[in-house]
Amino acid sequence: MNIAAKAAACGVSPDQYRERFLTLRAALWKSDFKRFAREVIRIRTKSGDLEPLVLNSAQEILHAAAEDQLKDERWVRLAGLKGRRQGFSTMVAARAYWRTTLWDRQRAYILSHEMASSNTLFAMTALMQEKHPFPPAVGTDNAKELEFVKRGSS
């Protein structure tokens, strides 16, 4: 994308164009988690490649349940007694990243059965931040917490 050319065509500076683009893109992402997942979230496949997160059937069911709970209760709390490799952890980490990066004053806490699993989940979230096309500013960034200072979220 040639931002300078597009900005000139719109009669604005490249900085103004970029700001408007990000504002509109963020609004689209806030309204559609699946779009955010496809356009922003990158996951490492079993072969080691990075690919966009496209929800599988199990993740679609989980997403629908989370959206229903959010509509009814105004918050989401999910507990997963799960089979291996259905994408539950990936989906939960992606939703947490979506909420904490696009909404103000959001906190996500992901708990797992052992420290190695927690470390894997945090590494997944760190990859999401690293591969974000327009990564939000980070304050605290350590082995246990990722804080988005402009949003007051972590």
Side-chain angles (χ1 to χ4, degrees):
M1 173 185 344
N2 184 345
I3 292 179
K6 290 184 178 189
C10 295
V12 297
S13 74
D15 287 341
Q16 290 172 319
Y17 184 87
R18 184 175 192 278
E19 183 179 333
R20 291 176 186 179
F21 176 83
L22 288 175
T23 299
L24 293 172
R25 184 58 54 189
L28 280 172
W29 290 337
K30 280 179 94 167
S31 68
D32 186 352
F33 170 73
K34 292 179 192 179
R35 175 189 289 261
F36 179 81
R38 278 190 319 271
E39 293 180 3
V40 175
I41 302 295
R42 296 291 174 265
I43 58 169
R44 194 164 306 282
T45 64
K46 292 175 188 173
S47 64
D49 298 329
L50 289 178
E51 292 185 5
L53 174 59
V54 177
L55 303 185
N56 64 32
S57 59
Q59 291 168 329
E60 289 279 358
I61 292 167
L62 180 61
H63 173 63
E67 288 298 308
D68 288 345
Q69 188 179 58
L70 185 62
K71 187 175 92 181
D72 294 343
E73 305 292 333
R74 308 216 8 104
W75 49 265
V76 176
R77 182 173 294 157
L78 299 170
L81 303 173
K82 62 181 188 99
R84 301 286 299 148
R85 303 289 175 204
Q86 293 179 343
F88 185 93
S89 299
T90 302
M91 173 67 177
V92 169
R95 277 190 68 91
Y97 186 77
W98 174 60
R99 291 295 298 192
T100 56
T101 57
L102 293 175
W103 278 266
D104 293 338
R105 296 176 301 282
Q106 300 293 304
R107 293 189 66 78
Y109 186 80
I110 300 173
L111 177 69
S112 70
H113 66 297
E114 57 187 32
M115 185 56 83
S117 296
S118 294
N119 292 340
T120 300
L121 286 168
F122 191 80
M124 188 184 307
T125 304
L127 179 66
M128 292 174 192
Q129 174 68 10
E130 178 186 327
K131 299 301 179 185
H132 194 299
F134 308 103
V138 174
T140 303
D141 180 7
N142 60 41
K144 303 291 182 206
E145 182 178 17
L146 188 61
E147 178 185 22
F148 304 103
V149 290
K150 289 188 177 181
R151 295 239 170 254
S153 297
S154 63

